[in-house]
Amino acid sequence: MTTKTARPDRRGFVISCFFFICLLCGLASINEVRFDSLLNLGRCALPNLPYSQFHNSSGISLSDNDLHNSSDIRILIGILTLPDHYHKRHFLRMIYGTQSPIGGKVDVKFVFCNLTKEDQKVLVALEIMRYNDIIILDCKENMNQGKTYTYFSSLPYMLKDEDGSVPYPPYHYVMKGDDDVYFRLQNLVDSLRPLPRDDLYYGYVIPCPSMDPFVHYMSGMGYLISWDIVEWIGESEIPKKGLSGPED
């Protein structure tokens, strides 16, 4: 007498696999919809606006409290960085958030060129909505091919006052810094208080140990200029002739 061995239920196995595949496809579709929603959100938060309107997205604005403290020194610190340096930006936000300088209004903004990757458009858009401290320049990311010039020359257009609600100048001083540099804001405010607010360069020259004021400027990991020089950079043809090289 022969016995028959139980054969596996292939039909049930195939049906189970079919439903499992359908479940995976459904989960993938849900994730794709979520990603597309975030991507569209990033595109909405980063429109291609002209400079005269772009300051709203960049977060450069003076609050009502600033208008009442017009005697305080107003300083903009632009930290030139890269879109992918998320951890550096979070760290700098934390340490600068612990400083409250007296006698000065200091705004710290992160500056980089146009975004090139889809994940950047999503993550940077979320940063802008959360912190409102990012300036995106209309340029291709670079270090020595005009990024610093684009930063300074764009500010007068970004901060152009259309309705007279912002004091002039919007900032007395504008600083360029790197994302591996830390400034003591109170010391910065105190050191600037006795200095003139026009025709001022605050920083090293090239070479850094030199004290000769008639050599090359824009040296080092951080330097500051007065607002009238910022406007001159944006209007003059002279800076455009030297865009290449260290610090532009």
Side-chain angles (χ1 to χ4, degrees):
M1 182 177 180
T2 60
T3 58
K4 295 182 179 180
T5 58
R7 300 178 63 183
D9 188 358
R10 294 183 178 179
R11 185 177 180 181
F13 177 75
V14 171
I15 294 175
S16 300
C17 291
F18 174 77
F19 281 110
F20 181 71
I21 293 174
C22 291
L23 178 62
L24 292 178
C25 292
L27 292 175
S29 300
I30 293 173
N31 289 333
E32 184 177 359
V33 170
R34 289 178 177 175
F35 179 78
D36 288 341
S37 300
L38 285 175
L39 186 58
N40 291 331
L41 180 63
R43 288 170 179 166
C44 292
L46 297 173
N48 293 322
L49 298 178
Y51 279 132
S52 60
Q53 301 175 7
F54 199 68
H55 66 275
N56 292 329
S57 298
S58 303
I60 308 181
S61 60
L62 297 178
S63 64
D64 293 338
N65 293 332
D66 301 325
L67 300 180
H68 297 299
N69 298 326
S70 58
S71 61
D72 291 347
I73 297 176
R74 296 186 294 274
I75 306 170
L76 171 63
I77 299 179
I79 300 176
L80 272 63
T81 182
L82 297 174
D84 291 329
H85 287 185
Y86 304 106
H87 296 296
K88 285 189 176 182
R89 290 197 290 275
H90 292 325
F91 176 71
L92 290 173
R93 287 187 185 107
M94 179 181 65
I95 59 176
Y96 280 122
T98 63
Q99 301 188 63
S100 299
I102 300 174
K105 167 64 177 176
V106 182
D107 288 336
V108 179
K109 307 291 182 180
F110 299 98
V111 183
F112 42 79
C113 294
N114 288 323
L115 307 179
T116 57
K117 297 187 291 187
E118 294 300 320
D119 61 322
Q120 292 175 351
K121 296 176 182 178
V122 174
L123 297 176
V124 172
L126 295 175
E127 278 189 272
I128 291 175
M129 289 187 291
R130 175 64 179 87
Y131 301 106
N132 200 28
D133 61 356
I134 290 176
I135 302 173
I136 301 178
L137 304 174
D138 186 15
C139 60
K140 183 178 180 180
E141 195 61 60
N142 67 91
M143 183 172 66
N144 297 322
Q145 298 296 324
K147 182 177 180 178
T148 305
Y149 167 78
T150 304
Y151 163 57
F152 283 120
S153 63
S154 301
L155 289 177
Y157 299 96
M158 292 181 181
L159 295 167
K160 188 176 181 180
D161 184 20
E162 300 290 349
D163 55 7
S165 61
V166 177
Y168 180 84
Y171 293 99
H172 298 110
Y173 307 105
V174 176
M175 174 172 279
K176 176 264 178 184
D178 293 342
D179 60 8
D180 56 356
V181 176
Y182 173 72
F183 298 100
R184 297 181 182 271
L185 301 185
Q186 187 62 62
N187 291 350
L188 177 64
V189 171
D190 293 341
S191 64
L192 288 172
R193 185 173 299 280
L195 300 180
R197 297 185 179 181
D198 295 313
D199 196 26
L200 177 70
Y201 173 83
Y202 181 99
Y204 283 111
V205 295
I206 301 175
C208 292
S210 173
M211 298 299 292
D212 184 357
F214 299 103
V215 295
H216 298 290
Y217 286 82
M218 308 302 187
S219 170
M221 296 175 287
Y223 51 82
L224 174 148
I225 57 178
S226 55
W227 182 255
D228 61 313
I229 298 180
V230 174
E231 291 182 320
W232 175 80
I233 292 175
E235 297 171 356
S236 175
E237 295 295 322
I238 296 176
K240 297 179 182 179
K241 299 177 182 179
L243 299 183
S244 299
E247 299 296 338
D248 304 334

